[in-house]
PDB file of all heavy atoms in Angstrom:
ATOM      1  N   HIS A   3       7.480   8.927   6.537  1.00 52.00           N
ATOM      2  CA  HIS A   3       8.728   8.184   6.509  1.00 52.00           C
ATOM      3  C   HIS A   3       8.952   7.590   7.889  1.00 52.00           C
ATOM      4  O   HIS A   3       8.822   8.271   8.893  1.00 52.00           O
ATOM      5  CB  HIS A   3       9.882   9.128   6.148  1.00 52.00           C
ATOM      6  CG  HIS A   3      11.222   8.515   6.351  1.00 52.00           C
ATOM      7  ND1 HIS A   3      11.679   7.488   5.569  1.00 52.00           N
ATOM      8  CD2 HIS A   3      12.200   8.771   7.255  1.00 52.00           C
ATOM      9  CE1 HIS A   3      12.893   7.147   5.992  1.00 52.00           C
ATOM     10  NE2 HIS A   3      13.217   7.913   7.004  1.00 52.00           N
ATOM     11  N   VAL A   4       9.269   6.308   7.970  1.00 49.00           N
ATOM     12  CA  VAL A   4       9.491   5.652   9.245  1.00 49.00           C
ATOM     13  C   VAL A   4      10.970   5.739   9.598  1.00 49.00           C
ATOM     14  O   VAL A   4      11.830   5.320   8.835  1.00 49.00           O
ATOM     15  CB  VAL A   4       9.006   4.183   9.213  1.00 49.00           C
ATOM     16  CG1 VAL A   4       9.359   3.479  10.506  1.00 49.00           C
ATOM     17  CG2 VAL A   4       7.520   4.136   8.959  1.00 49.00           C
ATOM     18  N   HIS A   5      11.253   6.320  10.753  1.00 48.00           N
ATOM     19  CA  HIS A   5      12.590   6.474  11.300  1.00 48.00           C
ATOM     20  C   HIS A   5      13.233   5.109  11.495  1.00 48.00           C
ATOM     21  O   HIS A   5      12.578   4.174  11.908  1.00 48.00           O
ATOM     22  CB  HIS A   5      12.461   7.201  12.652  1.00 48.00           C
ATOM     23  CG  HIS A   5      13.734   7.372  13.386  1.00 48.00           C
ATOM     24  ND1 HIS A   5      14.660   8.315  13.018  1.00 48.00           N
ATOM     25  CD2 HIS A   5      14.227   6.740  14.464  1.00 48.00           C
ATOM     26  CE1 HIS A   5      15.680   8.250  13.864  1.00 48.00           C
ATOM     27  NE2 HIS A   5      15.432   7.313  14.744  1.00 48.00           N
ATOM     28  N   GLN A   6      14.497   4.969  11.197  1.00 53.00           N
ATOM     29  CA  GLN A   6      15.203   3.708  11.359  1.00 53.00           C
ATOM     30  C   GLN A   6      16.258   3.839  12.460  1.00 53.00           C
ATOM     31  O   GLN A   6      17.419   4.135  12.200  1.00 53.00           O
ATOM     32  CB  GLN A   6      15.870   3.289  10.040  1.00 53.00           C
ATOM     33  CG  GLN A   6      14.909   3.007   8.915  1.00 53.00           C
ATOM     34  CD  GLN A   6      13.963   1.858   9.237  1.00 53.00           C
ATOM     35  OE1 GLN A   6      14.345   0.869   9.848  1.00 53.00           O
ATOM     36  NE2 GLN A   6      12.718   2.002   8.818  1.00 53.00           N
ATOM     37  N   PRO A   7      15.862   3.621  13.731  1.00 52.00           N
ATOM     38  CA  PRO A   7      16.829   3.715  14.822  1.00 52.00           C
ATOM     39  C   PRO A   7      17.690   2.460  14.886  1.00 52.00           C
ATOM     40  O   PRO A   7      17.514   1.524  14.103  1.00 52.00           O
ATOM     41  CB  PRO A   7      15.933   3.810  16.054  1.00 52.00           C
ATOM     42  CG  PRO A   7      14.741   2.992  15.671  1.00 52.00           C
ATOM     43  CD  PRO A   7      14.545   3.260  14.185  1.00 52.00           C
ATOM     44  N   GLU A   8      18.593   2.432  15.850  1.00 59.00           N
ATOM     45  CA  GLU A   8      19.385   1.235  16.083  1.00 59.00           C
ATOM     46  C   GLU A   8      18.446   0.072  16.389  1.00 59.00           C
ATOM     47  O   GLU A   8      17.420   0.255  17.025  1.00 59.00           O
ATOM     48  CB  GLU A   8      20.338   1.461  17.259  1.00 59.00           C
ATOM     49  CG  GLU A   8      21.441   2.464  16.977  1.00 59.00           C
ATOM     50  CD  GLU A   8      22.354   1.993  15.855  1.00 59.00           C
ATOM     51  OE1 GLU A   8      22.797   0.828  15.877  1.00 59.00           O
ATOM     52  OE2 GLU A   8      22.621   2.795  14.948  1.00 59.00           O
ATOM     53  N   PRO A   9      18.783  -1.150  15.955  1.00 61.00           N
ATOM     54  CA  PRO A   9      17.917  -2.296  16.223  1.00 61.00           C
ATOM     55  C   PRO A   9      17.766  -2.560  17.721  1.00 61.00           C
ATOM     56  O   PRO A   9      18.666  -2.262  18.508  1.00 61.00           O
ATOM     57  CB  PRO A   9      18.658  -3.457  15.555  1.00 61.00           C
ATOM     58  CG  PRO A   9      19.613  -2.838  14.611  1.00 61.00           C
ATOM     59  CD  PRO A   9      19.951  -1.484  15.174  1.00 61.00           C
ATOM     60  N   THR A  10      16.632  -3.117  18.095  1.00 62.00           N
ATOM     61  CA  THR A  10      16.395  -3.537  19.469  1.00 62.00           C
ATOM     62  C   THR A  10      16.946  -4.951  19.599  1.00 62.00           C
ATOM     63  O   THR A  10      16.427  -5.881  18.997  1.00 62.00           O
ATOM     64  CB  THR A  10      14.888  -3.517  19.783  1.00 62.00           C
ATOM     65  OG1 THR A  10      14.413  -2.189  19.573  1.00 62.00           O
ATOM     66  CG2 THR A  10      14.612  -3.934  21.212  1.00 62.00           C
ATOM     67  N   HIS A  11      18.033  -5.098  20.362  1.00 74.00           N
ATOM     68  CA  HIS A  11      18.714  -6.380  20.456  1.00 74.00           C
ATOM     69  C   HIS A  11      18.240  -7.239  21.620  1.00 74.00           C
ATOM     70  O   HIS A  11      18.617  -8.391  21.728  1.00 74.00           O
ATOM     71  CB  HIS A  11      20.227  -6.180  20.538  1.00 74.00           C
ATOM     72  CG  HIS A  11      20.804  -5.630  19.276  1.00 74.00           C
ATOM     73  ND1 HIS A  11      20.826  -6.323  18.084  1.00 74.00           N
ATOM     74  CD2 HIS A  11      21.348  -4.434  18.995  1.00 74.00           C
ATOM     75  CE1 HIS A  11      21.366  -5.593  17.140  1.00 74.00           C
ATOM     76  NE2 HIS A  11      21.690  -4.436  17.665  1.00 74.00           N
ATOM     77  N   ALA A  12      17.423  -6.689  22.522  1.00 89.00           N
ATOM     78  CA  ALA A  12      16.891  -7.466  23.637  1.00 89.00           C
ATOM     79  C   ALA A  12      15.399  -7.177  23.775  1.00 89.00           C
ATOM     80  O   ALA A  12      14.968  -6.032  23.643  1.00 89.00           O
ATOM     81  CB  ALA A  12      17.627  -7.095  24.925  1.00 89.00           C
ATOM     82  N   ALA A  13      14.630  -8.216  24.034  1.00 92.00           N
ATOM     83  CA  ALA A  13      13.182  -8.056  24.167  1.00 92.00           C
ATOM     84  C   ALA A  13      12.836  -7.030  25.234  1.00 92.00           C
ATOM     85  O   ALA A  13      11.916  -6.218  25.066  1.00 92.00           O
ATOM     86  CB  ALA A  13      12.546  -9.408  24.500  1.00 92.00           C
ATOM     87  N   GLU A  14      13.603  -7.023  26.330  1.00 89.00           N
ATOM     88  CA  GLU A  14      13.295  -6.115  27.435  1.00 89.00           C
ATOM     89  C   GLU A  14      13.491  -4.634  27.082  1.00 89.00           C
ATOM     90  O   GLU A  14      12.987  -3.761  27.766  1.00 89.00           O
ATOM     91  CB  GLU A  14      14.047  -6.469  28.710  1.00 89.00           C
ATOM     92  CG  GLU A  14      15.427  -7.026  28.630  1.00 89.00           C
ATOM     93  CD  GLU A  14      15.556  -8.455  28.102  1.00 89.00           C
ATOM     94  OE1 GLU A  14      14.807  -9.361  28.464  1.00 89.00           O
ATOM     95  OE2 GLU A  14      16.459  -8.637  27.282  1.00 89.00           O
ATOM     96  N   ASP A  15      14.191  -4.345  25.992  1.00 94.00           N
ATOM     97  CA  ASP A  15      14.427  -2.960  25.586  1.00 94.00           C
ATOM     98  C   ASP A  15      13.202  -2.293  24.963  1.00 94.00           C
ATOM     99  O   ASP A  15      13.130  -1.070  24.894  1.00 94.00           O
ATOM    100  CB  ASP A  15      15.563  -2.878  24.560  1.00 94.00           C
ATOM    101  CG  ASP A  15      16.907  -3.278  25.135  1.00 94.00           C
ATOM    102  OD1 ASP A  15      17.052  -3.314  26.373  1.00 94.00           O
ATOM    103  OD2 ASP A  15      17.810  -3.573  24.331  1.00 94.00           O
ATOM    104  N   ILE A  16      12.239  -3.075  24.494  1.00 97.00           N
ATOM    105  CA  ILE A  16      11.137  -2.512  23.713  1.00 97.00           C
ATOM    106  C   ILE A  16      10.350  -1.469  24.505  1.00 97.00           C
ATOM    107  O   ILE A  16       9.994  -0.419  23.977  1.00 97.00           O
ATOM    108  CB  ILE A  16      10.220  -3.627  23.145  1.00 97.00           C
ATOM    109  CG1 ILE A  16       9.420  -3.112  21.951  1.00 97.00           C
ATOM    110  CG2 ILE A  16       9.319  -4.213  24.188  1.00 97.00           C
ATOM    111  CD1 ILE A  16      10.133  -3.187  20.648  1.00 97.00           C
ATOM    112  N   ALA A  17      10.082  -1.727  25.784  1.00 97.00           N
ATOM    113  CA  ALA A  17       9.296  -0.794  26.588  1.00 97.00           C
ATOM    114  C   ALA A  17      10.055   0.522  26.796  1.00 97.00           C
ATOM    115  O   ALA A  17       9.471   1.606  26.668  1.00 97.00           O
ATOM    116  CB  ALA A  17       8.920  -1.413  27.932  1.00 97.00           C
ATOM    117  N   GLN A  18      11.336   0.443  27.104  1.00 97.00           N
ATOM    118  CA  GLN A  18      12.112   1.673  27.311  1.00 97.00           C
ATOM    119  C   GLN A  18      12.253   2.449  26.011  1.00 97.00           C
ATOM    120  O   GLN A  18      12.189   3.678  26.006  1.00 97.00           O
ATOM    121  CB  GLN A  18      13.486   1.370  27.898  1.00 97.00           C
ATOM    122  CG  GLN A  18      14.261   2.633  28.267  1.00 97.00           C
ATOM    123  CD  GLN A  18      13.494   3.539  29.218  1.00 97.00           C
ATOM    124  OE1 GLN A  18      13.114   3.124  30.305  1.00 97.00           O
ATOM    125  NE2 GLN A  18      13.248   4.790  28.815  1.00 97.00           N
ATOM    126  N   ARG A  19      12.422   1.760  24.902  1.00 97.00           N
ATOM    127  CA  ARG A  19      12.508   2.448  23.612  1.00 97.00           C
ATOM    128  C   ARG A  19      11.190   3.120  23.263  1.00 97.00           C
ATOM    129  O   ARG A  19      11.169   4.189  22.667  1.00 97.00           O
ATOM    130  CB  ARG A  19      12.940   1.474  22.520  1.00 97.00           C
ATOM    131  CG  ARG A  19      14.290   0.868  22.901  1.00 97.00           C
ATOM    132  CD  ARG A  19      15.362   0.763  21.936  1.00 97.00           C
ATOM    133  NE  ARG A  19      15.280   1.481  20.728  1.00 97.00           N
ATOM    134  CZ  ARG A  19      15.613   0.969  19.561  1.00 97.00           C
ATOM    135  NH1 ARG A  19      16.009  -0.273  19.483  1.00 97.00           N
ATOM    136  NH2 ARG A  19      15.574   1.706  18.477  1.00 97.00           N
ATOM    137  N   PHE A  20      10.061   2.498  23.640  1.00 98.00           N
ATOM    138  CA  PHE A  20       8.747   3.109  23.443  1.00 98.00           C
ATOM    139  C   PHE A  20       8.670   4.403  24.266  1.00 98.00           C
ATOM    140  O   PHE A  20       8.273   5.450  23.754  1.00 98.00           O
ATOM    141  CB  PHE A  20       7.643   2.131  23.861  1.00 98.00           C
ATOM    142  CG  PHE A  20       6.254   2.644  23.622  1.00 98.00           C
ATOM    143  CD1 PHE A  20       5.593   2.375  22.432  1.00 98.00           C
ATOM    144  CD2 PHE A  20       5.585   3.383  24.590  1.00 98.00           C
ATOM    145  CE1 PHE A  20       4.305   2.848  22.201  1.00 98.00           C
ATOM    146  CE2 PHE A  20       4.301   3.855  24.371  1.00 98.00           C
ATOM    147  CZ  PHE A  20       3.658   3.591  23.180  1.00 98.00           C
ATOM    148  N   ALA A  21       9.062   4.339  25.544  1.00 98.00           N
ATOM    149  CA  ALA A  21       9.020   5.531  26.405  1.00 98.00           C
ATOM    150  C   ALA A  21       9.956   6.621  25.887  1.00 98.00           C
ATOM    151  O   ALA A  21       9.608   7.803  25.911  1.00 98.00           O
ATOM    152  CB  ALA A  21       9.376   5.153  27.846  1.00 98.00           C
TER     153      ALA A  21
END
Side-chain angles (χ1 to χ4, degrees):
H3 169 69
V4 175
H5 177 76
Q6 296 299 322
E8 292 297 312
T10 301
H11 293 294
E14 34 289 316
D15 294 343
I16 201 85
Q18 186 55 58
R19 302 226 14 222
F20 183 92

